[in-house]
Each structure stands twice: as C-alpha cells, then as structure tokens.
Amino acid sequence: AFGGDGGTADIGFGALSGMLERGHDVLYVCFDNEAYMNTGIQRSGLTPLDCSTTTSPAGKESMGKHENKKDMPAIVAAHHIPYVATASVSFPKDLQRKVKKALSIDGPKYIQVLVPCPLGWYHKSEETFKIGKLAVETGIYPLFEIEDGKLTKVHKIKEQVPVEEYLRPQRRFRHLFAGEEGEKQIRRIQELADRNIEHYGMLREPVVTN
C-alpha cells in the first residue's frame, strides 16, 4: 500500500492504525514530501517546524508551521509490529534493501521515504538528490530500522552538517534568513537535529589506528 504524508499521518491514520493493530501482512510505504502537494501545498502532520505552506504561511505574524513534525515511525512502532524503517530517495540502495527486507517479513511493515518536492519545497529540480542527502547528513531526517520494537540499524554519518545548509536552498524556509527571529528558529531546528544525532547514535565512530 502507498500513501502520501497527509493521507498517512492525518486523513488515513485511523485506517493505517487499524491495519497495524490487526496484524495484516501488508507493507505500507509513506511517500513523505512534508505537505499536501496534490491539493495546493497545505501543511500536514509531517510538515516540519517553521515551514511555510499555503495554510501555515510565513509573514509578519508567523514563522510558518508552529508545531514539530509528527514522529510517525515511533507511533507506528508503538503498535508492536515486526518492521519499521525510514528511507530516502537520495539513498537508493538503502531504500531498495529495506523494501526487499520488509517484503520478506510476515505481518505489517511500514517504510517512510523522504521525497523532496521541487514544487512545494521551492528548490531547483537538479538539487533534489543533494537536498535529500543533506536532510540525513544534518540529522534532520535519520535513517534507521526498528524490528519488533527495537532499534536495530542506523545509517551512520561521518560528520554532522549544519542545518543552514539544508534549509537555505529551499524557499519554504527563506523567511528564517531574514532577521533575528529567524536566527532563533534556526537554532531551534538545529537543536532538533542534534537531538536526533544523539538519540539514534548517528555519528560514525572514528577509526583508531596504532
């Protein structure tokens, strides 16, 4: 089964939760482009903090979406299903491996795939791969696997990239680079990324040679 982030985390969440709770042998893939893109770029539960959308516009009265992104992988894992994973189109081999693994497991499975959207993120099409990679390298979007409720595998990064490098190419975040309040919000987003780095142990251990 396939769904977007809005249909997965918001509109269709009740049906998804029921499927997970009943234990159906289904692989559910969420294409996460962080907004309702087909209907006009409205905010969804998976739209990130401070993102400007048509229903959470940035301006004099607002810095964009006020709420943090819903942690769907954790919510799904709380249903005690066999397999939960996050993936990205910028890491195609990792995505392919996770899909093959999920299909080999009986019971409900869930994979959430980050899919940068030039239309709604307002970035150049040729930057799609780079932006998806930066989401991971900043810690904004960790890639991991949870099996039977336990974190079993995390994609490691050599060095954390500052979140500004991920945010700046996307016009949905351009208001963050226009004043002191924006700087404050960037620090909040950096804290979220740092928390992911620590929580998931994303940094690769340095190789020690004698």
Side-chain angles (χ1 to χ4, degrees), residues 4 8 35 46 65 134 144:
T8 299
L46 293 188
K65 183 170 178 270
L134 283 170
F144 56 83

Coordinates of all heavy atoms in Angstrom, one line a residue, residues 4 8 35 46 65 134 144:
G4 N 0.6 9.3 0.7 CA 1.4 10.4 1.0 C 1.5 10.7 2.5 O 0.8 10.0 3.2
T8 N -1.3 9.5 5.2 CA -0.8 8.5 6.1 C -1.0 9.0 7.6 O -1.5 8.3 8.4 CB 0.7 8.3 5.8 OG1 0.8 7.7 4.5 CG2 1.2 7.3 6.8
A35 N 4.0 17.7 3.0 CA 2.8 18.6 2.8 C 1.8 17.9 1.9 O 2.1 16.9 1.3 CB 3.2 20.0 2.2
L46 N 3.1 15.9 9.0 CA 4.5 15.7 8.8 C 5.3 16.9 8.2 O 6.4 16.8 7.9 CB 4.7 14.5 7.8 CG 4.3 13.1 8.4 CD1 4.7 12.0 7.5 CD2 4.8 12.9 9.8
K65 N 4.9 27.0 10.1 CA 4.2 26.0 11.0 C 4.8 26.0 12.4 O 6.0 26.0 12.6 CB 4.4 24.6 10.4 CG 3.7 23.5 11.2 CD 3.7 22.2 10.4 CE 3.0 21.0 11.1 NZ 4.0 20.3 11.9
L134 N 21.3 16.0 2.3 CA 21.6 17.0 3.4 C 20.6 16.7 4.6 O 21.0 17.0 5.7 CB 21.5 18.4 2.9 CG 22.7 18.9 2.1 CD1 22.3 20.3 1.5 CD2 23.9 19.0 3.0
F144 N 16.8 4.7 9.7 CA 17.0 3.6 10.7 C 16.0 2.5 10.5 O 15.1 2.7 9.7 CB 16.8 4.2 12.2 CG 15.5 4.9 12.4 CD1 14.4 4.2 12.7 CD2 15.4 6.3 12.3 CE1 13.2 4.9 12.9 CE2 14.2 7.0 12.5 CZ 13.1 6.2 12.8

